[in-house]
């Protein structure tokens, strides 16, 4: 009887075809913008398109050599989203503006850093050695915007930027990666301790009070970001990241119940104590009242104009370059979803959301496929961080939830966000390479710790218990 060949397939040729389609989407959108501005196929268009294409194909080439079993869909999806964002930012640039070129520079830098992650990080399990170093790095990154001398001060009501020469950078974007590494390392090593029986209330099994330490610490960190940096969006992101990762690690809904109680309690107190939080909630609930609409700080002008713009786009949109998204404040950053909704319409906006959904599911698929607990938690955490960021942004723009000021991954103008999200892509590709490739039972060096083999066995679970 003949044996069936079950060897994994690299699928790099599939990725190349999808990548060419993704480049067609991004470069084609930029071409349409140029046609509207009567600058189609000029030297800038060819220069920008060539740089994006060369960088994307170079990334693909590195995957062929370093991670040939990586997911073939993730890179094309991100390139398509990044290309659309570049086209829309270029379209919104005023005459003589440089935001589009600056975004392209950050795209090339971010892709180069992601390539470096793939080239030098041969095994994602190595990151487990840096569990507590990642915690310390997260603390430093979150404190940097408050340090005199490098702090950029308060910008648009938030203190989340540092100044490096002529440019500003948001360290909190990198902190979400280091926090995910810490949570994955800590929870994969201490899962059995967290699962020890506590008090049972009805169908819910609650943990012991002393095991609530990490939860309380994460809650305090998110509240600290809200208090000292006035950054509601990052506060929601950090706390949501921990809640999801601890739920994935323990499968206990009680953690979600406790987390939601802490989140709602903290949000209620913050809305009463901190004026900027109260104004955002008021602007969400009473957006169409004259007083709130015309308020200079914390008003709803931005939200309402974004809704009117998307309504103007209708089903198929006004066409790239044919709308007036520039009437909305921060149309190329906080409100780029509204800009795309106006010029691409509901159908185009659904296509963008579908690309995000595909990106999340491929990240979660990598988490399901990898065979070590650390990799599962890290892939889940990173994928959820991007998913939550998209939900918070799109929910705020469509007035489903209060507007928070987070940026839309890969689309919105902002170098620090672009850099952080491309690093996430690099890590997800490495984890998916391990998940889709041949089973590797080779242990890491002893310095990686007692659970560094990557395969969780019943013996290890009994030993921890």
């Amino acid at each position: 009887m003949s044996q069936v060949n079950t060897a994994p397939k690299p699928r790099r040729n599939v990725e190349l075809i999808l990548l060419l389609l993704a480049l067609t989407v991004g470069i084609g959108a930029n071409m349409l913008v140029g046609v509207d501005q009567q600058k189609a196929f000029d030297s800038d268009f060819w220069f920008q398109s060539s740089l994006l294409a060369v960088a994307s194909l170079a990334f693909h080439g590195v995957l062929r050599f370093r991670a040939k079993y990586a997911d073939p869909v993730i890179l094309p999806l991100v390139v398509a989203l990044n290309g659309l964002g570049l086209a829309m930012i270029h379209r919104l640039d005023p005459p003589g503006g440089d935001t589009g070129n600056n975004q392209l520079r950050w795209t090339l830098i971010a892709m180069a850093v992601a390539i470096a992650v793939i080239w030098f990080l041969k095994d994602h399990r190595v990151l487990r050695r840096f569990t507590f170093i990642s915690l310390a790095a997260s603390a430093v990154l979150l404190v940097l915007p408050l340090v005199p001398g490098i702090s950029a001060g308060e910008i648009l009501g938030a203190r989340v930027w540092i100044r490096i020469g002529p440019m500003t950078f948001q360290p909190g974007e990198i902190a979400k990666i280091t926090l995910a590494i810490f949570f994955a390392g800590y929870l994969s090593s201490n899962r059995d301790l967290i699962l020890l029986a506590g008090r049972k209330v009805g169908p819910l099994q609650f943990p012991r009070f002393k095991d609530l330490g990490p939860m309380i610490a994460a809650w305090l960190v998110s509240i600290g970001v809200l208090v000292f940096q006035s950054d509601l969006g990052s506060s929601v992101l950090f706390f949501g990241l921990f809640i999801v990762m601890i739920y994935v690690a323990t499968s206990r809904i009680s953690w979600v119940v406790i987390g939601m109680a802490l989140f709602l309690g903290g949000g209620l107190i913050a809305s009463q104590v901190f004026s900027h939080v109260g104004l955002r909630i008021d602007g969400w609930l009473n957006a169409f009242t004259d007083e709130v609409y015309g308020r200079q700080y914390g008003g709803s002008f931005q939200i309402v104009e974004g809704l009117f713009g998307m309504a103007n786009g209708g089903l198929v949109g006004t066409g790239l370059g044919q709308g007036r998204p520039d009437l909305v404040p921060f149309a190329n950053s906080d409100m780029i979803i509204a800009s795309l909704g106006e010029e691409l319409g509901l159908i185009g906006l659904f296509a963008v959301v579908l690309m995000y959904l595909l990106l999340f599911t491929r990240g979660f698929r990598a988490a399901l496929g990898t065979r070590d607990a650390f990799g599962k938690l890290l892939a889940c955490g990173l994928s959820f961080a991007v998913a939550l960021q998209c939900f918070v942004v799109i929910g705020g723009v469509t007035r489903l939830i209060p507007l928070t000021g987070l940026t839309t991954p890969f689309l919105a103008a902002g170098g620090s966000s672009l850099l952080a999200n491309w690093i996430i892509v690099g890590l997800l590709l490495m984890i998916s390479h391990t998940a889709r490739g041949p089973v590797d039972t080779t242990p890491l060096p002893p310095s990686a710790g007692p659970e560094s083999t990557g395969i969780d066995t019943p013996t290890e679970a009994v030993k921890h218990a």
Side-chain angles (χ1 to χ4, degrees), residues 76-112:
L77 285 172
V78 174
V79 168
L81 289 168
N82 204 155
L84 278 175
L86 286 169
M88 179 54 69
I89 293 167
H90 179 63
R91 176 260 179 277
L92 290 167
D93 257 355
D98 194 46
T99 308
N101 291 331
N102 187 55
Q103 186 75 353
L104 178 60
R105 284 191 289 269
W106 272 109
T107 296
L108 299 177
I109 292 171
M111 293 179 77

Side-chain angles (χ1 to χ4, degrees), residues 195-208 252-255 258:
L195 281 174
L196 289 175
R199 184 179 297 275
K200 190 171 184 179
V201 179
L204 299 178
Q205 182 77 43
F206 287 91
R208 299 179 305 179
R252 283 189 175 174
I253 197 68
S254 58
W255 283 105
I258 296 171

Side-chain angles (χ1 to χ4, degrees), residues 213-345:
M215 173 77 79
I216 301 298
W219 182 67
L220 291 175
V221 167
S222 62
I223 293 297
V225 170
L226 180 62
V227 172
F228 296 107
Q229 299 183 357
S230 302
D231 189 7
L232 179 61
S234 296
S235 176
V236 173
L237 181 62
F238 295 153
F239 190 65
L241 174 66
F242 177 72
I243 293 299
V244 165
M245 292 186 72
I246 198 169
Y247 172 70
V248 171
T250 63
S251 301
R252 283 189 175 174
I253 197 68
S254 58
W255 283 105
V256 179
V257 173
I258 296 171
M260 289 304 299
L262 288 172
F263 174 75
L264 293 175
L268 181 61
I269 295 172
S271 66
Q272 301 298 320
V273 175
F274 307 116
S275 60
H276 62 279
V277 177
L279 289 174
R280 292 215 173 188
I281 294 176
D282 185 41
W284 167 55
L285 295 175
N286 306 299
F288 290 95
T289 61
D290 292 339
E291 179 186 355
V292 176
Y293 177 82
R295 191 162 54 204
Q296 184 176 4
Y297 300 104
S300 62
F301 175 82
Q302 186 183 33
I303 301 173
V304 172
E305 289 301 312
L307 292 173
F308 285 160
M310 289 188 288
N312 182 51
L315 188 63
V316 296
T318 60
L320 279 172
Q322 300 297 313
R324 290 302 307 275
D326 53 295
L327 295 176
V328 184
F330 306 106
N332 63 359
S333 54
D334 295 5
M335 301 297 289
I336 198 167
I337 286 293
S339 303
L340 289 167
E342 179 175 357
E343 300 204 337
L344 299 182

